[in-house]
Amino acid sequence: MDELFKGLLTAGTVLLVMTAARHGGRRVAGLVAALPTITAPTLAWLAHDEGMPFAISAAIGSVAACAMLAVFALGYARAARHGGAAVALLCGLGGALVMAVPAKAASSHLPGALVLALVSCALTFVAMPRLGAAGPGRIRHRPVFCSMWLIAAMAGLLTAVATLIGPTLGGFAAGLLSSLPLITGPVAMAEHAQGGHRAAAHFLRGYVGGLFGKAAFGTVFVLLAPRAGAVAALSLACACACLLSTVRLRLPPLPGVGLPPLRTSRSTE
């Protein structure tokens, strides 16, 4: 029953993020996708079923995994300029796999995991392609490779599978599985198919900015859970992540940072 609930939660979140991308702007959608919507309930279930030490270990793993997610976003955004959604997804996943080695090494202690996550996210944010302003309005409805409902169902299924095998693989694996880009990947591919590589890059840039809040979520949980309990720690950690995402949303884009704007013969927005 827990696996079914988590799968349904993931599917609903995918629909929410894709709706935000259509109506609230891609930057907002990226920040929403970075929120610990999957990680938070996973930690709650792990604390209940496996004990607090295992949940804390998984939380540290989720913090270290933010470095992998940042590299995934960068790899996808850069590869999307030259290939289709499938090729960009493979490039993003390849970069994330390379980053898995230092992430695993840093996952044994919170300070190392946090430093790796923050440094990786900051460097990735600077290196993301600068593509000009992204219009906040609705995205044009054009035929896509599959519907958002199918994307949501696929993400929900993958999450249910991850819930089944995560606890048997250890704390880092559980935290990593709860942080996989099950939402980000499908939404980036849908944005890529509908609006071109620029649309995907705008979404992923917002996502990388939101990863700072995700790292803060795991950090707050690890620090508070032994003293305050899982429920209070999760509540405060979620509040911290939402607060940082809200602050990040209100900040203007950094001018003149990163790669120069790409020039194309026609607009993809």
Side-chain angles (χ1 to χ4, degrees):
M1 184 62 66
D2 287 344
E3 290 77 16
L4 176 61
F5 175 75
K6 189 179 179 185
L8 292 175
L9 176 63
T10 304
T13 305
V14 170
L15 293 175
L16 175 63
V17 172
M18 296 186 74
T19 301
R22 294 178 182 273
H23 300 283
R26 297 182 176 97
R27 187 184 178 195
V28 175
L31 288 171
V32 172
L35 292 176
T37 310
I38 301 175
T39 307
T42 299
L43 293 181
W45 295 326
L46 289 176
H48 180 268
D49 297 336
E50 306 294 331
M52 188 65 73
F54 189 88
I56 291 176
S57 177
I60 298 176
S62 70
V63 173
C66 289
M68 299 174 58
L69 298 176
V71 175
F72 165 81
L74 179 61
Y76 190 107
R78 295 181 67 90
R81 298 178 299 171
H82 308 290
V87 173
L89 180 65
L90 290 176
C91 291
L93 291 176
L97 287 176
V98 172
M99 200 66 188
V101 176
K104 178 63 172 66
S107 65
S108 57
H109 300 288
L110 178 61
L114 183 59
V115 169
L116 177 66
L118 294 180
V119 171
S120 299
C121 291
L123 293 177
T124 299
F125 191 82
V126 172
M128 288 290 287
R130 300 288 293 177
L131 303 172
R138 298 183 180 182
I139 304 169
R140 296 176 182 177
H141 293 272
R142 298 189 301 207
V144 296
F145 66 99
C146 59
S147 69
M148 71 170 66
W149 292 97
L150 179 57
I151 294 174
M154 292 172 57
L157 178 61
L158 289 174
T159 303
V161 172
T163 304
L164 286 173
I165 66 176
T168 64
L169 299 178
F172 172 73
L176 174 60
L177 289 173
S178 70
S179 302
L180 289 177
L182 299 177
I183 295 175
T184 310
V187 174
M189 294 178 72
E191 289 298 300
H192 191 179
Q194 289 182 329
H197 67 90
R198 292 177 179 270
H202 283 304
F203 167 76
L204 290 170
R205 188 172 182 84
Y207 175 74
V208 173
L211 286 177
F212 292 98
K214 186 178 180 65
F217 163 84
T219 301
V220 171
F221 177 82
V222 172
L223 295 177
L224 295 183
R227 302 173 179 82
V231 176
L234 284 172
S235 300
L236 292 174
C238 288
C240 181
C242 292
L243 178 61
L244 287 179
S245 295
T246 302
V247 171
R248 181 68 191 91
L249 182 62
R250 293 180 177 275
L251 293 177
L254 296 178
V257 178
L259 301 177
L262 299 176
R263 296 181 180 178
T264 57
S265 57
R266 58 185 180 88
S267 174
T268 57
E269 294 290 340

